[in-house]
Amino acid sequence: MGPIDYLVVEFPGSHLTGEGMPLLADLVDRGIIRILDLTFFTKEQDGSVRGLALADVTGDGELDLTLFEGVSSGLLGDEDISEAGALLQPGDSAAVLLYENVWAAPLAAALRRADARMIASGRVPVQDVVEALDALDDAA
């Protein structure tokens, strides 16, 4: 298996356009990632969190999100959704995506065979990279 990552994406005001879904489907089709779990939910005005059914979010009939309906490994639980829901404001929605980086599986397998061990991992926020590149430009 490749490394497993997750994303929690907030949709302020529950404005879901579905624009990113074809790109997500493309990553799956090209074997770059494998979706393990994909859950959409909304935070009600009373603070409760409820799931949203996958559907054509724009109503234009062009995007069939049922492609991802039922995608569930069981790794993502109610507690995870509640924790993500706590980050939202009432009236907002979110998606939680748990995915395997399939592209990295052969490298991970080779490293395991060589008895290599991961001792650190992380992600550099895009804004930090942009700020660092801007600072380099300003210094030049």
Side-chain angles (χ1 to χ4, degrees):
M1 252 187 127
I4 307 296
D5 285 326
Y6 73 92
L7 299 173
V8 179
V9 181
E10 178 183 24
F11 301 96
S14 294
H15 182 72
L16 292 90
T17 65
E19 185 176 349
M21 296 308 278
L23 299 169
L24 184 59
D26 181 59
L27 291 171
V28 172
D29 290 344
R30 291 189 295 141
I32 295 171
I33 67 168
R34 178 169 62 110
I35 296 175
L36 302 174
D37 287 286
L38 178 59
T39 302
F40 287 85
F41 59 94
T42 190
K43 187 169 191 173
E44 302 292 344
Q45 293 301 322
D46 67 3
S48 63
V49 174
R50 69 171 176 86
L52 294 174
L54 295 177
D56 177 3
V57 296
T58 61
D60 65 5
E62 291 186 22
L63 180 63
D64 183 11
L65 297 183
T66 58
L67 167 70
F68 299 114
E69 189 171 22
V71 174
S72 177
S73 66
L75 294 173
L76 199 65
D78 291 339
E79 185 176 318
D80 300 310
I81 300 303
S82 293
E83 189 174 316
L87 302 172
L88 299 180
Q89 294 298 313
D92 292 348
S93 295
V96 177
L97 173 65
L98 183 69
Y99 62 96
E100 174 191 3
N101 291 284
V102 176
W103 62 269
L107 175 61
L111 293 172
R112 280 191 296 272
R113 286 191 301 273
D115 290 331
R117 294 189 182 130
M118 175 74 71
I119 59 170
S121 181
R123 177 159 288 140
V124 178
V126 173
Q127 189 58 40
D128 290 355
V129 174
V130 170
E131 289 171 6
L133 291 174
D134 287 345
L136 288 172
D137 282 346
D138 292 343

